[in-house]
Amino acid sequence: RELRARLDALRRRTVRMTSALSHARRGKVVVHNDIELWSDARLAFVASRPFNLSQTEFDLLLSLAERLSEPIDRETILDKVLQMRGAAAASAVPVYVHRLRRKLQEAGSKLTIQAVRGKGYILSERTPGVGHERMDVVLGAGDDPSGRN
């Protein structure tokens, strides 16, 4: 009975995934390095494996993947991704970035989210040996590397 139940559950998941994939093929697909985002079906893959994200995490990752050449500032993330306003909302951005950064690492992605001082956040390749517990900070143009701005 247990085997039968497991097979039935697997078949249901396969049917849902096949249906979502056929729908997504008609929509927009964003690919960067080992990440694939199917915006219409709201599916994410890391190294061709399904990547489970909340709606907000998906929107954040999609926004970062669509703007690879320039950082996304905190205000843009608040307005367009989190759709929040106010002083308390500002603290939500680092929380979502941290969660997404951790999920990317746990999924084995080659990518991470870096904070660019004074500019925002950007999707970039992971530095070998650096875990999610350390926030990577990249100096913005005009920043003094000694920290004496």
Side-chain angles (χ1 to χ4, degrees), residues 2-149:
E2 182 179 345
L3 179 60
R4 178 76 175 172
R6 287 179 186 227
L7 289 172
D8 288 343
L10 180 60
R11 188 172 353 124
R12 284 192 304 270
R13 281 194 304 268
T14 303
V15 167
R16 279 195 305 263
M17 181 65 89
T18 303
S19 172
L21 288 174
S22 65
H23 171 73
R25 285 193 178 104
R26 295 184 299 264
K28 180 177 170 187
V29 177
V30 177
V31 178
H32 179 58
N33 203 318
D34 61 350
I35 292 179
E36 207 174 314
L37 303 168
W38 301 34
S39 61
D40 287 355
R42 304 194 62 76
L43 293 173
F45 299 90
V46 171
S48 300
R49 292 185 313 268
F51 186 42
N52 192 21
L53 296 172
S54 71
Q55 179 175 340
T56 303
E57 291 165 343
F58 182 89
D59 290 340
L60 177 57
L61 186 56
L62 182 62
S63 296
L64 290 165
E66 287 177 332
R67 292 179 53 179
L68 293 173
S69 59
E70 60 186 73
I72 300 177
D73 60 69
R74 184 180 297 232
E75 290 74 28
T76 301
I77 293 172
L78 281 171
D79 288 343
K80 296 192 174 164
V81 177
L82 302 179
Q83 299 173 348
M84 301 171 86
R85 297 192 191 284
S91 64
V93 174
V95 171
Y96 277 102
V97 167
H98 173 77
R99 287 179 186 167
L100 185 52
R101 188 183 284 142
R102 186 183 71 234
K103 282 186 172 186
L104 286 168
Q105 183 182 21
E106 289 171 356
S109 177
K110 298 174 185 173
L111 298 175
T112 190
I113 302 169
Q114 288 188 314
V116 180
R117 187 175 293 145
K119 306 281 185 206
Y121 297 95
I122 193 163
L123 199 58
S124 66
E125 287 200 40
R126 180 176 305 285
T127 305
V130 176
H132 70 274
E133 63 281 347
R134 178 180 169 270
M135 181 176 281
D136 297 318
V137 177
V138 178
L139 295 176
D143 284 347
D144 181 0
S146 66
R148 294 171 283 166
N149 290 338

